[in-house]
Amino acid sequence: MKKLINDPHDFVDEVVDGLLLAHPDRLRAASETRRALVRADAPVAGQVGIVTGGGSGHLPAFLGYVGKGLCSGVAVGNVFSSPSAEQMYEATKAVNGGAGVLYLYGNYVGDSLNFDLAADMADLDDIPTRTVRITDDALSAPPERGTERRGVAGMVFAFKIAGAAAERGDSLEKVSELAQRTVDSTRSAGVGLSPTILPEAGRATFELADGEMEIGIGIHGEPGSRRGPLETADEVADTLLAVILDDLRLGADEQVAVLVNGLGATPLEELYLIYRRVHNTLLDKGIGVHRPYVGEYATSLEMAGASVTVLRLDDELTELLDAPADSPFFQQ
Amino acid sequence: MKKLINDPHDFVDEVVDGLLLAHPDRLRAASETRRALVRADAPVAGQVGIVTGGGSGHLPAFLGYVGKGLCSGVAVGNVFSSPSAEQMYEATKAVNGGAGVLYLYGNYVGDSLNFDLAADMADLDDIPTRTVRITDDALSAPPERGTERRGVAGMVFAFKIAGAAAERGDSLEKVSELAQRTVDSTRSAGVGLSPTILPEAGRATFELADGEMEIGIGIHGEPGSRRGPLETADEVADTLLAVILDDLRLGADEQVAVLVNGLGATPLEELYLIYRRVHNTLLDKGIGVHRPYVGEYATSLEMAGASVTVLRLDDELTELLDAPADSPFFQQ
């Protein structure tokens, strides 16, 4: 895969530079290294701050979800690498409006260690923090080890709902509870068709033969649950949805939100084929789609593939999901 | 490139099916074959209708630009093929609110022939039509043959501005004049890094060697102006912007809108690298970016590559560009 880049070592800093040049009305740097970015209007007095973070290479994740009704700040790591605790701490200070800060991020070891360190630093400043780790990837660990699961595209629902709760003035306890309830009600499963190439390393994150796909792949190329011959869009949709429905124990008459996510190189057209099958299968089971999202929400550079995410809704989650939100990458 | 599809012959119809399932509140079919789609609230009484159309495989183009403040209807062709005149005519009837209909589409032979036929059919129904062809691809023909140029991502500016004019109640003459003024003020130039594969044909639209790029490539893989070794993001941005600035004869103190478009497989991160360089170069020349757009706006399935589009603004175009717009793929 050929890349439109300059010096690979400058990749992330130049991407951040481009983002800040394009969106100065909505994003600003909260540290000298510019690896901590916050809403342009941060801090919002009296409002719970939400800080996320993670490696680069996943746009719109993570920094695409900083905005009104979403996260308030983000720490930006190198490609597929955790940001530092210092940058998480800088973002924390910059978004602290006096109501505390929620750390809401994908469940990866490096991110967890660094966010825990950042929480200790914030504590010394008397900024109360809470932590909710996103664990939506149903194929990354069995149900009995659900807290070990990775966070993938389901993060969008967690950001959306926690962000709406913070925006309406909920307390840190309440925002954290809603974020955790969203995570507990969200499952994702994905399929990879081609690997991605890290700008600095210049080599593929994994190998897949011609005509082969990998079910359960992670957004950094982590191994999935099985490999097999490439199937049709309908078959892939059926496989992914079956995992999710089984794990969520969804019943008839429930309402859900569905997100069909492209991993980078898969055309939007193909994502709509997946959505079509998921929608019709849910309908057959008496499950209604309250709100669909189809597009690229959490990518892995130029990986080909897709994931399906389902969120079980209740009245409160529905109201928060439907609330307005606005970032350079997400408007509703 | 592996595809998540079902029977290739059903590709477009299934994509349309998925779109209508996902967005029934915003889009509806205006013909039995569902190859004519219109705003769910069409026709809007007293408002000029805008019908576009083109081949499939370019999402969000073309049908992603049907919505409030954008186009009112679209005819949907097979992959990379013109829709039929009948479907254009069905869309025309469905969006006709009594103020006439503008045909606004990319300058390709098949589309032009069919839209001209549709205009004849509309004429028999006493629906007045006007035609504006989008010709923004600066590298597809020299300046003295500007009316022969192809339409590419610059279509977004034409849809946005004509749509805003229709929405505010402008006459068919005025909407057409503004669409033409937008086209005359818009230039694009693109680079391709990898070919795309048609679902039915199963083969690449063109061949590019490892480490090679093609400057001036079209969104159907039409040959560009030159091939050469892959350059850095900055070099590519400089090359594309130089073509545009020269052709538009942009001077200092002018204001522009910039669109950096991904052709399908190129990560958003790389598009921001291109934007960064374009922004800084314009700034150095005293040209201000009033509004940037960075993302996938007109793709070629899974082609890797990017294009840059610049629109020279005046007060009226600025006001119309800034007006709200809403489709499933474009919100502002």
Side-chain angles (χ1 to χ4, degrees), chain B residues 114-185:
Chain B
N114 287 333
F115 268 112
D116 286 352
L117 277 173
D120 292 343
M121 296 156 86
D123 189 48
L124 296 176
D125 284 343
D126 292 322
I127 303 173
T129 62
R130 294 287 179 280
T131 292
V132 172
R133 296 187 183 96
I134 300 160
T135 55
D136 57 306
D137 190 349
L139 285 167
S140 58
E144 63 274 16
R145 290 178 17 226
T147 57
E148 295 172 30
R149 287 176 172 172
R150 300 184 292 249
V152 288
M155 71 176 82
V156 176
F157 291 140
F159 297 155
K160 177 69 194 69
I161 285 171
E167 205 72 41
R168 74 177 178 187
D170 284 6
S171 69
L172 180 57
E173 288 307 321
K174 179 69 178 168
V175 173
S176 306
E177 184 267 313
L178 282 161
Q180 187 64 57
R181 201 200 310 170
T182 303
V183 170
D184 293 342
S185 307

Side-chain angles (χ1 to χ4, degrees), chain B residues 102-302:
Chain B
L102 170 64
Y103 291 158
L104 183 57
Y105 57 92
N107 185 39
Y108 296 93
V109 173
D111 298 296
S112 292
L113 283 171
N114 287 333
F115 268 112
D116 286 352
L117 277 173
D120 292 343
M121 296 156 86
D123 189 48
L124 296 176
D125 284 343
D126 292 322
I127 303 173
T129 62
R130 294 287 179 280
T131 292
V132 172
R133 296 187 183 96
I134 300 160
T135 55
D136 57 306
D137 190 349
L139 285 167
S140 58
E144 63 274 16
R145 290 178 17 226
T147 57
E148 295 172 30
R149 287 176 172 172
R150 300 184 292 249
V152 288
M155 71 176 82
V156 176
F157 291 140
F159 297 155
K160 177 69 194 69
I161 285 171
E167 205 72 41
R168 74 177 178 187
D170 284 6
S171 69
L172 180 57
E173 288 307 321
K174 179 69 178 168
V175 173
S176 306
E177 184 267 313
L178 282 161
Q180 187 64 57
R181 201 200 310 170
T182 303
V183 170
D184 293 342
S185 307
T186 302
R187 297 292 185 282
S188 299
V191 60
L193 306 190
S194 75
T196 194
I197 292 170
L198 302 190
E200 289 202 44
R203 55 183 165 72
T205 45
F206 59 95
E207 301 284 341
L208 262 180
D210 274 359
E212 201 179 34
M213 66 175 188
E214 179 152 346
I215 294 279
I217 200 139
I219 57 172
H220 310 93
E222 297 95 334
S225 54
R226 72 172 169 86
R227 284 188 177 196
L230 181 60
E231 295 171 1
T232 66
D234 283 356
E235 288 165 343
V236 168
D238 288 350
T239 299
L240 301 180
L241 187 60
V243 169
I244 291 167
L245 293 182
D246 184 52
D247 209 283
L248 261 186
R249 299 174 186 280
L250 267 176
D253 299 325
E254 296 209 71
Q255 289 289 308
V256 298
V258 171
L259 189 153
V260 176
N261 174 57
L263 291 174
T266 290
L268 259 174
E269 284 83 357
E270 298 179 21
L271 302 182
Y272 273 96
L273 296 185
I274 301 282
Y275 179 76
R276 167 181 177 269
R277 182 68 168 196
V278 167
H279 181 107
N280 285 331
T281 305
L282 289 171
L283 206 68
D284 285 347
K285 294 179 184 295
I287 300 167
V289 180
H290 173 70
R291 189 180 272 274
Y293 297 85
V294 183
E296 293 187 347
Y297 289 91
T299 64
S300 184
L301 290 171
E302 71 279 51

Side-chain angles (χ1 to χ4, degrees), chain B residues 54-97:
Chain B
S56 292
H58 305 296
L59 278 181
F62 293 84
L63 49 75
Y65 301 105
V66 172
K68 200 172 152 65
L70 296 162
C71 299
S72 5
V74 62
V76 180
N78 286 326
V79 175
F80 294 4
S81 302
S82 173
S84 71
E86 285 69 27
Q87 296 303 308
M88 296 166 179
Y89 171 62
E90 294 294 340
T92 306
K93 284 191 295 183
V95 306
N96 173 36

Side-chain angles (χ1 to χ4, degrees), chain A residues 20 28-38 74 86-87 89-95:
Chain A
L20 291 171
R28 68 175 173 83
S31 68
E32 236 177 87
T33 63
R34 308 197 304 175
R35 293 301 189 92
L37 304 177
V38 298
V74 62
E86 286 68 27
Q87 296 303 309
Y89 171 61
E90 294 293 340
T92 306
K93 285 191 294 182
V95 305

Side-chain angles (χ1 to χ4, degrees), chain A residues 43-332:
Chain A
V44 182
Q47 196 176 96
V48 169
I50 301 173
V51 172
T52 189
S56 291
H58 304 297
L59 278 181
F62 292 84
L63 51 75
Y65 301 105
V66 173
K68 201 173 152 65
L70 296 163
C71 298
S72 4
V74 62
V76 180
N78 286 327
V79 175
F80 293 3
S81 303
S82 173
S84 70
E86 286 68 27
Q87 296 303 309
M88 295 165 178
Y89 171 61
E90 294 293 340
T92 306
K93 285 191 294 182
V95 305
N96 173 36
V101 174
L102 170 64
Y103 291 158
L104 184 57
Y105 57 92
N107 185 38
Y108 296 93
V109 174
D111 297 297
S112 292
L113 284 171
N114 288 331
F115 267 112
D116 286 350
L117 277 174
D120 291 343
M121 296 157 86
D123 190 47
L124 296 176
D125 285 344
D126 292 321
I127 304 174
T129 63
R130 293 287 178 282
T131 292
V132 172
R133 296 187 183 95
I134 301 160
T135 55
D136 57 306
D137 190 349
L139 285 167
S140 58
E144 62 275 16
R145 291 179 15 227
T147 56
E148 295 171 30
R149 287 176 171 173
R150 299 183 293 250
V152 287
M155 71 175 84
V156 176
F157 291 141
F159 296 155
K160 178 68 194 67
I161 284 172
E167 204 72 41
R168 73 177 178 186
D170 284 7
S171 69
L172 180 57
E173 288 308 322
K174 179 70 178 167
V175 173
S176 307
E177 184 267 313
L178 282 160
Q180 187 63 58
R181 201 200 310 172
T182 304
V183 170
D184 292 342
S185 307
T186 302
R187 297 292 185 283
S188 299
V191 60
L193 305 190
S194 75
T196 195
I197 292 170
L198 302 190
E200 289 201 43
R203 56 182 165 72
T205 46
F206 59 96
E207 301 284 340
L208 263 180
D210 275 358
E212 202 178 33
M213 66 176 187
E214 180 153 344
I215 295 278
I217 199 141
I219 57 173
H220 310 93
E222 296 95 335
S225 54
R226 72 172 169 88
R227 285 188 176 196
L230 181 61
E231 296 171 0
T232 66
D234 283 356
E235 288 166 343
V236 168
D238 288 350
T239 299
L240 301 180
L241 188 60
V243 169
I244 291 168
L245 293 182
D246 184 52
D247 209 283
L248 259 185
R249 299 174 187 280
L250 266 175
D253 299 325
E254 297 209 71
Q255 290 289 306
V256 298
V258 172
L259 188 153
V260 176
N261 175 57
L263 292 174
T266 290
L268 258 174
E269 284 83 357
E270 298 179 21
L271 302 182
Y272 274 96
L273 296 185
I274 301 282
Y275 179 76
R276 168 181 176 270
R277 182 69 166 194
V278 168
H279 181 108
N280 285 332
T281 304
L282 289 171
L283 206 67
D284 285 347
K285 294 180 184 296
I287 300 167
V289 180
H290 173 71
R291 189 180 272 274
Y293 297 84
V294 184
E296 293 186 348
Y297 289 91
T299 64
S300 184
L301 291 170
E302 71 279 52
M303 191 192 293
S307 63
V308 175
T309 300
V310 175
L311 164 65
R312 168 192 274 126
L313 288 169
D314 60 32
D315 288 347
E316 186 168 29
L317 296 189
T318 303
E319 183 190 324
L320 292 164
L321 186 69
D322 288 347
D326 183 62
S327 85
F329 298 84
F330 187 99
Q331 296 96 39
Q332 173 178 300

